[in-house]
Structure formats: structure tokens, C-alpha cells
Amino acid sequence: MTFFKTLAGTAVAVGLATASFAEDIKPAVIFDIGGKFDRSFNQASFEGAERFREETGIEYREFEIQSDAQREQALRRFAQQGNNPIVVAGFAYGSAMETVAAEFPDTDFAIIDMVVDLPNVRSVVFKEHEGSFLVGMMAAMKSETGKVGFVGGMDIPLIRKFACGYVQGVKAANPDAEVFQNMTGTTGAAWNDPVKGGELTRSQIDQGADVVYHAAGGTGRGVLQAAADAGKLGIGVDSNQNYLHPGSVLTSMLKRVDVAVYNALSDAKNGEFTAGFSVLGLAEDGVGYAVDDNNQPLLDDEIVAAIEEAKAKIIAGEIEVHDYMSDDSCPVS
């Protein structure tokens, strides 16, 4: 497998166009464990596919896996049945994608959150650390206790990347702030355990945290619920989760998985599908933070101005946010 870690920090690379024509398109989307209605990563994938369907009238097949063993089975089944392109959401599909895409060189594949170096695979990864830096600043500026929290899903380098960026943002706004960090587990079940997410959040709140950020998929529902129940603030991830608890979700760190899915399907429809990989950050609008009617009253002009200034400096290269995937250490803790 070609690991994302080896390519982190690269701006954009594009491969050769593969043969995909509008009249041949039979798209399929495979979601990761947690399902398309996890209100986070998978749901963003679903929303991208739905946008494509609504705009084009082209239906797509879909599958929600229930176990790791189904990844390769689902990919191969869709390819055997002539689906093209096939889009998968999640780093854990890397090995299965490498195997199946090699078996079906005339089928276009796209994978999100992992790089697979094959001539018929589009890989899309994100600079989650940049978006996490911004919401970390926001958390520190909003905190009244000087203590904030982070709850991750599966303990893997990708989630440590979220955490590291978040801590850097917190410390940029308040060098004396304390950040509590917990991971939910070490298996795929960590993405869909809202009860455990709630327990970890309550523990951090008991230690004084009054803002808690999650990067935990479906587990994050428990994080946001526990924060709201305690009268504290949560921070959502991937999709805009502000609406889940209006007035109790400070913001959501947006990761535009929906755009990556939509673009893959649209490019295939238009005969413009390309293989290769791209890395999307603040400069490309690949990550960001959500402001809407549900959280706008929580954000005063001072906070917004500080976050926008930091965003501009990150894009300009004046602030460098450490990428845990390129160096598995974090300069702040």
C-alpha cells in the first residue's frame, strides 16, 4: 500500500486522464463503518453523491459496510457488475482499493483520506490540521476556564493530526491553556460509539473543560450531546453539526468530503476524470469552519476577526501548522 504519510505536505499532483465517458457512467458510492447518516464524515460523502444525483438525474448505487471484511468484497462486486466510477470514503479502504483497482484497470476509482498510487485511482486528502488550528483558537478564546478538550475516534495518525492542529490553535490564542485529549478506541468500532464519546466528554468536563472538539465520526454525537447537557460547548467535525444542538455547538470544522465525492462523479460524467492525488486545505477551501444562525450568537467580532486573520496567515505561509502525518510528533501539548 502507498501510505498517505509519505505524501503529506504535497500541494497538488494530478495524473493522466482515464477513459470514462458520460454514456458509460454507472456510479457507486461505498460508505465506511458508521453509515451514511453518521452526521459527520460519511454523511458528507452521502450529501456529495445526493447533490450529483439531484443535479444530473443519474442514480448511483450505494453500500454501507458493517465490518472491515466487507470493504474488498463490496469494491470487487461493484466493479464486476460494471459500476464506474466507484467512490469510497475512508482511509481504511486503502489496501482493498489497491487490490481491486489493479484487477479492474478500466474502471475509475476514487478514495478519500488515503493515497493509492494506481493509474485509475483518484486520491483526495485534506489538511485537517489547518482547520483544526482555527477551531482550536476559537475554543481557547471562548473558554472561561482556560481548559478545553479533544475526543478522537480511532487512535490513528490521521486523528492525531486533528488533535495536534487543534492544540496548536488553542496555544496560539492562550499559551497557558490546558488541553485534555482522549481517543475512543483502537478498532473501527471507535467511530460509532456515542455512549463512550459522552463518557469521555463528561470526564473532561469534570476536569474543567468547557469546550470540547471531536473528530470521532458517529461517536461525536455523544460528545456534542454530553457538552450540551452540561451547559458547555462542543465543536463538530467534517459536516456542519451546528444544528444538532443550537447554541451549544461553538462551530464545526468543515472537511469538504462532499465536494470531493461530487467532483469525482461529475468529472466521470463529463469524461474528465483524472487519476492522481490532491491535498485540500484552507487555500483550496477544502477545510474551514461553519458559521450559521445556530452558532452566530456565540461568535463575537473579536473572535471572528482573530480567526480570519489566522486563516489568511496560514494561507500566506506566515503561520505554519504542524502536520502530524509528515512528522509524528506535536510541537505543543
Side-chain angles (χ1 to χ4, degrees):
M1 182 191 301
T2 302
F3 288 96
F4 164 33
K5 182 175 178 180
T6 66
L7 294 166
T10 306
V12 176
V14 179
L16 299 175
T18 57
S20 180
F21 303 96
E23 61 267 26
D24 297 329
I25 188 171
K26 292 175 58 180
V29 179
I30 307 174
F31 303 102
D32 208 347
I33 291 173
K36 65 183 180 182
F37 295 126
D38 66 354
R39 299 185 179 182
S40 187
F41 180 84
N42 282 295
Q43 186 155 336
S45 303
F46 171 67
E47 289 170 355
E50 282 293 286
R51 176 186 166 196
F52 171 80
R53 182 186 62 79
E54 291 168 1
E55 290 185 5
T56 65
I58 297 175
E59 298 292 335
Y60 62 93
R61 297 182 66 194
E62 64 176 53
F63 187 70
E64 299 176 75
I65 66 167
Q66 303 300 314
S67 68
D68 290 333
Q70 292 180 309
R71 297 183 196 281
E72 187 170 323
Q73 295 171 3
L75 268 171
R76 184 174 288 108
R77 183 178 72 249
F78 280 142
Q80 287 172 338
Q81 294 175 355
N83 289 102
N84 189 8
I86 302 172
V87 182
V88 300
F91 70 93
Y93 282 99
S95 180
M97 176 66 77
E98 189 170 65
T99 298
V100 176
E103 295 174 6
F104 296 88
D106 295 327
T107 301
D108 294 330
F109 296 86
I111 184 169
I112 297 166
D113 271 358
M114 175 58 72
V115 171
V116 174
D117 187 13
L118 287 172
N120 57 330
V121 179
R122 172 183 293 190
S123 305
V124 183
V125 294
F126 295 84
K127 296 181 180 180
E128 297 93 348
H129 52 303
E130 292 185 350
S132 296
F133 182 97
L134 298 185
V135 301
M137 283 189 64
M138 197 177 292
M141 295 182 72
K142 194 67 178 179
S143 175
E144 297 178 358
T145 65
K147 298 178 181 181
V148 300
F150 174 85
V151 175
M154 189 175 177
D155 191 357
I156 53 173
L158 175 61
I159 300 306
R160 293 286 175 181
K161 180 182 179 184
F162 282 84
C164 184
Y166 177 66
V167 174
Q168 290 174 82
V170 170
K171 296 291 188 177
N174 179 5
D176 298 323
E178 187 172 359
V179 186
F180 307 116
Q181 300 183 51
N182 293 104
M183 297 292 174
T184 305
T186 57
T187 69
W191 302 118
N192 196 27
D193 192 348
V195 173
K196 182 67 174 294
E199 292 172 352
L200 293 173
T201 302
R202 285 189 290 274
S203 174
Q204 293 181 358
I205 289 172
D206 287 344
Q207 297 175 73
D210 55 358
V211 185
V212 181
Y213 172 40
H214 87 84
T219 297
R221 296 194 303 270
V223 174
L224 299 180
Q225 182 71 60
D229 289 346
K232 309 302 181 184
L233 294 172
I235 297 177
V237 79
D238 294 338
S239 298
N240 183 351
Q241 298 183 316
N242 297 351
Y243 72 96
L244 292 177
H245 301 281
S248 293
V249 179
L250 179 59
T251 189
S252 298
M253 199 289 281
L254 300 177
K255 179 174 170 179
R256 299 309 303 271
V257 176
D258 58 328
V259 173
V261 172
Y262 173 83
N263 287 345
L265 298 178
S266 294
D267 288 349
K269 172 186 176 296
N270 296 328
E272 299 172 350
F273 188 91
T274 55
F277 74 95
S278 60
V279 184
L280 307 179
L282 288 174
E284 299 79 19
D285 253 350
V287 296
Y289 65 97
V291 179
D292 58 24
D293 290 343
N294 295 303
N295 73 326
Q296 198 160 33
L298 300 170
L299 305 176
D300 59 34
D301 292 343
E302 180 184 0
I303 291 176
V304 173
I307 301 308
E308 285 299 310
E309 180 182 1
K311 177 180 176 180
K313 287 183 176 180
I314 291 170
I315 292 173
E318 297 175 34
I319 294 177
E320 183 176 352
V321 186
H322 179 75
D323 182 354
Y324 187 92
M325 299 293 287
S326 62
D327 176 7
D328 59 356
S329 62
C330 193
V332 292
S333 60

